[in-house]
RNA sequence: GUCCCCAUCGUCUAGCCCGGUCCAGGACACCGGCCUUUCACGCCGGCGACAGGGGUUCGAAUCCCCUUGGGGACGCCA
């Protein structure tokens, strides 16, 4: 009826938003944005037992964090039963679906039998021609063809054909009156005018069933695109046992949403050799044709590298609120609006792969070291270190300003006067000031710490060395 | 077991559709080196793959077949 592109993301609220789901959401979203189409959010909560309100909130939270917004919805399938009923009645009236009173146990026996005979386990059609009237406890099944095959013209995988003998008369409506996934999706996609169904590979075997429903309804079939799964390091489908999967876990680990998105879009899709994509790049360049056909292994190292790159490309002002949030989450004290923050961030940007790393390194600028890193102290606190620190203390005390230039000049003069290389001066100072073996340059550190904070730390180190 | 899908460096991938320009390119990781007051960043270099076998062809990573391997699905879950 219209040629605008309409995609959708239909999570089932049985858990948080995981990276696999986020990726399919991303692909659908990007395709809609790229083509100026619409992106719909639909909550598939027909599994009454497992669907929870909490999961719905978790999914919203994840999408919001990622910046994936939707144009319509969220629609809830459990609120659309009247619509499903209308279509089901039509199918029943046209005898394209029928009632079945076989028990779950009976069906299970049929499946075992089929398996034993080397066939695909499925329902054998016992109630097919019984013309049973609707009754409590009965399920409604689709009357599927016994011959021929059903074709999918998959936009990412190409043509796929499944023999109809492999498809049984599956259930459209359960005995408790709740519609099944396969039926609800079709009716929703149909009534929402979804043009492209982009979803995980794991749905390919559902697709012919769904196509059969469209055909029974004489309805137009949308385009399907099945994207390969995301695998864990052991090359099986990514799942809880592979570690942190909830999208919000990645936030906790200090990843930027755009970095996660960048990583996810590249996992299974490519645009030549380009690795770095901003959200805008993705919206502009994404195509269904460039989605790969083979599954990919999720690699945190690569995500981390991409995250580092995104962090470097952001401005300190953009990073500021994110860093403060992270520091708070980690319990690292920070001045609410410390004017030094932008400068600290700029210094830490090239040496932080995640916000967590940045927060941990930023700690030195707000909290005095409570102990000295053992290896760093061993390497840098040795004979002569006290003298170096005393010299620095002396000069710092009389310093008129603590600008970067002044601090670097101060350090240089210490070297000159004591006839030492910069390394001999920077080493002990670094441990004194930060307690660590690594930090930004000493000139910068001194300048940002300022005289007032630096002096006590240096004195503490001197005291430590003298009593030791 | 049955059906479907997939197959380029350890990983993500370019190239494949429209065979030659590919003794296969990029990125992550790893290993060296340079830079350097430490750690990073940056730069330079290295390691490293067309699963195997048959065809087709003057010529195949690219086309066809088989084998093997991997993934997925077989629910009154989605």
């Amino acid at each position: 009826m219209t040629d605008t592109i309409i995609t959708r993301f239909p999570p089932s609220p049985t858990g948080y938003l995981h990276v696999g789901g986020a990726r399919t959401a991303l692909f659908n979203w990007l395709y809609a944005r790229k083509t100026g189409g619409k992106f719909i959010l639909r909550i598939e909560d027909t599994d009454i037992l497992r669907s929870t309100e909490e999961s719905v909130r978790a999914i919203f939270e994840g999408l919001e964090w990622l910046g994936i917004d939707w144009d319509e919805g969220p629609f809830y399938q459990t609120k659309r039963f009247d619509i499903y009923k209308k279509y089901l009645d039509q199918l029943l009236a046209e005898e394209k679906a029928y009632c079945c009173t076989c028990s779950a146990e009976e069906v299970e026996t049929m499946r075992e039998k089929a398996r034993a005979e080397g066939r695909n386990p499925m329902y054998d059609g016992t109630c097919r021609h019984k013309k049973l009237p609707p009754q409590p406890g009965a399920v409604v099944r689709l009357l599927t063809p016994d011959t021929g095959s059903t074709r999918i013209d998959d936009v990412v995988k190409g043509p796929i054909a499944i023999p109809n003998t492999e498809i049984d008369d599956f259930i459209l409506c359960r005995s408790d009156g709740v519609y099944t996934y396969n039926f609800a999706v079709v009716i929703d996609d149909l009534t929402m005018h979804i043009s492209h169904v982009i979803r995980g590979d794991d749905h390919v075997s559902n697709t012919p069933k769904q196509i059969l429903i469209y055909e029974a309804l004489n309805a137009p079939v949308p385009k399907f695109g099945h994207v390969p799964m995301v695998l864990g390091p052991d090359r099986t489908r990514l799942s809880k046992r592979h570690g942190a999967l909830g999208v919000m876990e990645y936030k906790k680990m200090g990843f930027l949403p755009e970095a996660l998105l960048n990583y996810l879009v590249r996992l299974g899709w490519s645009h030549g050799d380009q690795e770095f994509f901003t959200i805008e790049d993705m919206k502009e360049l994404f195509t269904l044709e460039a989605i790969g056909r083979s599954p990919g292994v999720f690699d945190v190292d690569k995500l981390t590298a991409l995250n580092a790159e995104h962090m470097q490309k952001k401005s300190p002002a953009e990073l500021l609120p994110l860093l403060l949030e992270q520091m708070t989450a980690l319990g690292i004290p920070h001045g609410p609006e410390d004017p030094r923050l932008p400068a600290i961030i700029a210094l830490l940007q090239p040496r932080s792969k995640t916000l967590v790393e940045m927060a941990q390194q930023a700690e030195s600028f707000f909290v005095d070291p409570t102990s000295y890193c053992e290896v760093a102290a061993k390497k840098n606190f040795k004979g002569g270190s006290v003298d170096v620190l005393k010299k620095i203390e002396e000069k710092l005390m009389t310093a008129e300003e603590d600008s970067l230039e002044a601090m670097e000049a101060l350090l240089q003069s210490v070297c000159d006067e004591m006839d030492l290389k910069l390394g001999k001066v920077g080493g002990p100072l670094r441990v004194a000031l930060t307690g660590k073996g690594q930090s930004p340059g000493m000139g910068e550190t001194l300048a940002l710490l300022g005289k007032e904070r630096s002096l006590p730390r240096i004195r503490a180190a001197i005291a430590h060395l003298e009593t030791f």
Side-chain angles (χ1 to χ4, degrees):
Chain A
M1 66 175 284
T2 166
D3 38 24
T4 30
I5 290 191
I6 305 179
T7 61
R8 95 267 131 112
F9 177 55
S12 62
T14 52
Y16 43 59
L17 179 66
H18 55 88
V19 291
R23 193 177 65 139
T24 48
L26 175 64
F27 284 3
N28 279 284
W29 181 67
L30 288 178
Y31 190 53
R33 291 290 171 265
K34 154 79 181 255
T35 56
K38 263 195 297 190
F39 176 63
I40 295 175
L41 179 64
R42 185 169 74 217
I43 305 297
E44 309 213 321
D45 53 356
T46 54
D47 185 342
I48 312 288
L49 288 179
R50 286 189 290 175
S51 297
T52 66
E53 191 76 23
E54 191 191 344
S55 296
V56 174
R57 278 194 300 274
I59 289 163
F60 290 164
E61 185 187 26
L63 289 173
E64 189 191 348
W65 179 64
L66 290 172
I68 295 178
D69 55 355
W70 53 92
D71 306 302
E72 283 180 24
F75 297 107
Y76 292 79
Q77 290 189 320
T78 47
K79 292 184 182 156
R80 296 168 57 81
F81 281 15
D82 50 334
I83 301 173
Y84 306 147
K85 182 177 191 317
K86 196 184 111 201
Y87 285 92
L88 188 73
D89 287 347
Q90 178 188 333
L91 254 18
L92 246 13
E94 294 175 4
E95 295 191 344
K96 287 172 174 170
Y98 60 90
C99 291
C100 162
T101 51
C102 294
S103 68
E105 295 71 37
E106 285 168 331
V107 175
E108 185 47 42
T109 308
M110 295 171 199
R111 279 197 266 265
E112 275 164 29
K113 183 166 176 260
R115 206 185 291 267
E117 289 169 2
R119 287 180 295 114
N120 189 11
M122 45 190 215
Y123 175 68
D124 68 3
T126 298
C127 296
R128 234 183 194 197
H129 302 296
K130 289 186 184 169
K131 295 204 159 94
L132 261 18
Q135 54 193 286
V139 300
V140 178
R141 293 178 181 274
L142 185 73
L143 183 53
T144 60
D146 302 315
T147 57
S149 61
T150 300
R151 301 182 61 82
I152 309 171
D153 279 308
D154 199 288
V155 281
V156 349
K157 287 182 179 285
I160 299 171
I162 284 93
N164 287 149
T165 49
E166 294 298 318
I167 303 169
D168 68 353
D169 290 348
F170 58 96
I171 296 176
L172 303 177
C173 184
R174 302 177 176 95
S175 53
D176 62 1
V178 177
Y179 299 88
T180 61
Y181 160 76
N182 275 128
F183 187 61
V185 191
V186 169
I187 305 308
D188 282 342
D189 287 342
L190 179 62
T191 54
M192 292 176 189
H193 306 293
I194 302 299
S195 65
H196 294 253
V197 174
I198 303 160
R199 70 209 333 185
D201 223 350
D202 51 341
H203 283 287
V204 287
S205 55
N206 283 320
T207 306
K209 293 182 178 179
Q210 294 172 196
I211 289 175
L212 256 17
I213 299 176
Y214 284 103
E215 287 175 351
L217 251 16
N218 279 318
V221 181
K223 290 204 186 312
F224 291 98
H226 291 96
V227 326
M229 300 274 85
V230 179
L231 273 26
D234 61 354
R235 303 207 64 98
T236 65
R237 185 180 176 171
L238 199 57
S239 69
K240 315 82 223 154
R241 72 198 146 79
H242 293 295
L245 277 145
V247 147
M248 298 312 283
E249 286 302 305
Y250 291 89
K251 179 186 181 184
K252 281 198 196 104
M253 291 187 269
F255 291 105
L256 259 21
E258 47 271 69
L260 217 211
L261 257 19
N262 188 161
Y263 176 71
L264 255 18
V265 80
R266 273 285 292 130
L267 183 57
W269 174 82
S270 61
H271 184 256
D273 283 337
Q274 188 172 342
E275 301 281 351
F276 185 90
F277 294 86
T278 62
I279 308 283
E280 288 312 308
D281 290 338
M282 296 180 213
K283 286 183 187 172
E284 185 187 327
L285 303 170
F286 185 76
T287 56
L288 295 179
E289 295 70 37
I291 296 177
R293 296 127 308 237
S294 48
V297 175
F298 190 86
D299 179 15
V300 190
D301 284 341
K302 186 141 186 175
L303 202 210
T304 306
L306 229 22
N307 195 65
E309 204 172 332
H310 278 272
M311 293 210 18
Q312 285 216 60
K313 295 208 170 153
K314 279 202 172 299
S315 69
E318 290 174 300
L319 254 16
L320 181 60
L322 303 176
L323 177 65
L324 293 184
E325 186 184 2
Q326 190 63 252
M327 290 178 79
T328 303
L330 294 174
I332 298 170
H334 58 265
E337 306 224 344
D338 195 310
R340 302 174 299 159
L341 245 4
I344 292 172
I345 292 170
L347 222 44
L348 262 20
Q349 267 175 292
R351 45 202 117 211
S352 312
K353 291 186 190 296
T354 64
L355 285 168
V356 168
E357 283 186 19
M358 183 176 271
Q360 286 165 343
Q361 295 180 86
E363 182 169 22
S364 291
F365 292 98
F366 297 91
V367 185
D368 291 343
T370 50
S371 66
Y372 300 113
C373 162
E374 219 173 294
V375 282
K378 195 174 175 192
K379 191 172 166 195
N380 296 293
F381 279 174
K382 37 190 164 194
S385 293
V386 196
D387 300 325
V388 171
L389 291 176
K390 280 184 172 168
K391 187 79 169 178
I392 297 171
E393 183 213 2
E394 177 195 320
K395 284 186 172 284
L396 194 55
M397 239 170 16
T398 58
E400 284 171 12
E401 54 166 327
D402 48 17
S403 66
L404 174 59
E405 297 71 27
M407 291 301 98
E408 275 177 344
L410 182 149
L411 252 22
Q412 190 54 53
S413 70
V414 172
C415 292
D416 294 345
E417 287 171 34
M418 300 185 77
D419 193 29
L420 290 171
K421 304 256 280 181
L422 221 41
K424 297 284 178 199
V425 175
L429 213 214
R430 170 166 295 108
V431 182
L433 253 24
T434 68
K436 299 174 189 162
Q438 313 90 255
S439 79
M442 292 324 294
E444 284 93 343
T445 304
L446 229 29
L448 280 171
L449 233 30
K451 243 175 105 162
E452 301 312 315
R453 274 179 230 265
S454 302
L455 244 16
R457 294 190 189 187
I458 294 169
R459 288 178 183 135
I462 292 171
H464 170 85
L465 282 169
E466 284 181 334
T467 57
F468 177 60

